[in-house]
Every structure is written in C-alpha cells, then in structure tokens.
Amino acid sequence: MMNKLIHGDCINELEKIEPCSIDLIYLDPPFFTQKTQKLKTRNNSIEYSFKDTWDNIKEYTKYIQERLQKCKKTLKDTGSIFLHCDRSATHYLRISLDEVFEATNFQSEIIWSYKRWSNAKKGLLNAHQVIFFYSKTEKFKFNPIYTDYSPTTNLDQIFQKRARDENGKATYKTLENGDVELMEEKKVFLLLMFGKFLI
C-alpha cells in the first residue's frame, strides 16, 4: 500500500483494505454546507465540483457514520483518526465520532485558524475550522516531535523544581545551602548544554 493513490468512495474502497492494518486516517468529508462546491485549476482550464447538499441532517450523519465505521474497522488498535470540518455541522460530527469511536477515545481538538479580511457581514467572521482527533483505543501511538527552545526561553526556570510556600504560592525549591534545586532527570541534559553550568 506504500505510495498508492486510490480513487473512489471510501465506503467501497475501505472494504478492499485489510482490517486492523492502517495507522492513521485523515478525513476531509463534505461539510454539510448545502451548496455545490467548485474549484478550478490555477490556469482555469479544469473545474472540479461536488454537491454538498442533503435532504436533512439525518441523511448527512448517516452518510458520515457509515464511513466512520469502515474507517474504524481498518484502523490498528494503535491507530488514530483525524476528521476535518467547519462550523456547518461540527457538533453533529463530534457526536457521530463519539458514537463510533466512543467519547473516551476523544483525544483533542485542533483549531485551524486563518485570517479573513473584514467585510460587510453582520456579526463575527468565520475564521477557523476544526480537526477532531480520536484514537481507536487507549493504546494509540503518538510520537512527539521535539524542537529547539526559543532563544528567549529562560532555561534556568524550566529545569528548576517548584514548591508551594506557606501561602500556597508557587516558588522555586531550594537546597539547604540556598541554591535552587534542579529536576534530577534534567541535570545531565543541562551539563551537556552548558559545560560551565554549576550544580
């Protein structure tokens, strides 16, 4: 399946994929905009379109849930699914995901924010979309990616232990000699980063 592009409705194509074999699924389904969506190529030579129109919300959620069930079947127990949507039916999609993947497997909600120029519309501009993150089970795989600290980050504060004073206020924990106490697992890291750092 590496580097393979499959063209077709996922409800049919997912049947051809072995169950419990996929690590991650990203869905960008119709949004229930009740409009025909159109997009042209850069040179305007080709126009693509699809109808995002439905008789009612029940028809739409049935369409989504059928596909979510197929997605769940193909995901590994360590797999995750991300569903992209806008304000049109976000709340219905969240409920559909809860019903198929269970509410306990909701992991996070990503807000994709973008800038919009002001216009004559009354009220607030629509300036974000949502990506729901669910796992198939509690054993989902998640590999964090670490980057360097910003040059303005105060590393001294990050690696110092905290404590509460008599008033319950957070403060830095100190040793008997008055020096600030560092977190043990970070001491070696600090020595590697700062050869002259004194512990």
Side-chain angles (χ1 to χ4, degrees):
M1 294 296 293
M2 289 292 290
N3 301 318
K4 185 175 183 180
L5 181 65
I6 301 171
H7 181 73
D9 188 334
C10 68
I11 199 163
N12 301 317
E13 300 305 325
L14 285 169
E15 285 291 340
K16 304 171 187 177
I17 297 175
E18 186 179 342
C20 301
S21 63
I22 301 297
D23 289 299
L24 186 144
I25 294 174
Y26 176 85
L27 286 180
D28 190 358
F31 286 176
F32 193 73
T33 59
Q34 299 298 69
K35 298 176 183 176
T36 297
Q37 301 296 326
K38 298 178 180 179
L39 180 68
K40 290 185 177 181
T41 55
R42 288 178 185 261
N43 61 5
N44 292 323
S45 61
I46 303 173
E47 180 178 273
Y48 299 97
S49 68
F50 70 91
K51 287 186 177 180
D52 186 14
T53 55
W54 311 83
D55 290 338
N56 52 58
I57 193 66
K58 285 186 178 179
E59 180 190 22
Y60 174 71
T61 53
K62 181 176 183 288
Y63 170 92
I64 294 293
Q65 285 190 340
E66 287 173 347
R67 284 151 182 79
L68 288 176
Q69 291 286 1
K70 301 285 185 182
C71 288
K72 184 178 181 181
K73 184 179 175 183
T74 59
L75 273 179
K76 294 178 181 177
D77 286 345
T78 54
S80 298
I81 184 168
F82 293 80
L83 189 147
H84 186 164
C85 55
D86 76 355
R87 68 190 184 103
S88 305
T90 306
H91 45 307
Y92 291 101
L93 291 171
R94 174 76 187 267
I95 291 169
S96 295
L97 284 159
D98 281 350
E99 289 177 357
V100 175
F101 285 90
E102 300 181 14
T104 53
N105 288 319
F106 167 71
Q107 299 301 331
S108 194
E109 181 178 323
I110 302 166
I111 302 298
W112 174 29
S113 178
Y114 45 84
K115 291 184 178 180
R116 283 277 176 93
W117 299 111
S118 60
N119 62 15
K121 177 185 173 182
K122 184 178 181 180
L124 299 174
L125 292 175
N126 304 320
H128 81 279
Q129 292 181 352
V130 176
I131 302 172
F132 290 121
F133 167 24
Y134 278 72
S135 62
K136 185 173 179 179
T137 70
E138 73 283 355
K139 298 184 291 184
F140 70 99
K141 185 186 295 183
F142 189 83
N143 300 320
I145 298 173
Y146 297 98
T147 59
D148 294 334
Y149 285 109
S150 164
T152 60
T153 302
N154 188 337
L155 290 172
D156 292 353
Q157 292 181 353
I158 291 175
F159 301 122
Q160 293 171 1
K161 281 189 178 179
R162 306 296 199 282
R164 298 275 177 188
D165 63 16
E166 62 276 6
N167 299 316
K169 185 177 178 182
T171 182
Y172 294 115
K173 192 173 183 181
T174 57
L175 301 168
E176 289 183 11
N177 63 4
D179 291 340
V180 173
E181 187 175 352
L182 298 175
M183 291 182 271
E184 289 82 359
E185 64 272 18
K186 302 295 184 184
K187 288 183 179 179
V188 174
F189 176 72
L190 281 169
L191 282 171
L192 291 174
M193 285 187 64
F194 310 102
K196 297 180 180 178
F197 195 92
L198 299 177
I199 298 179

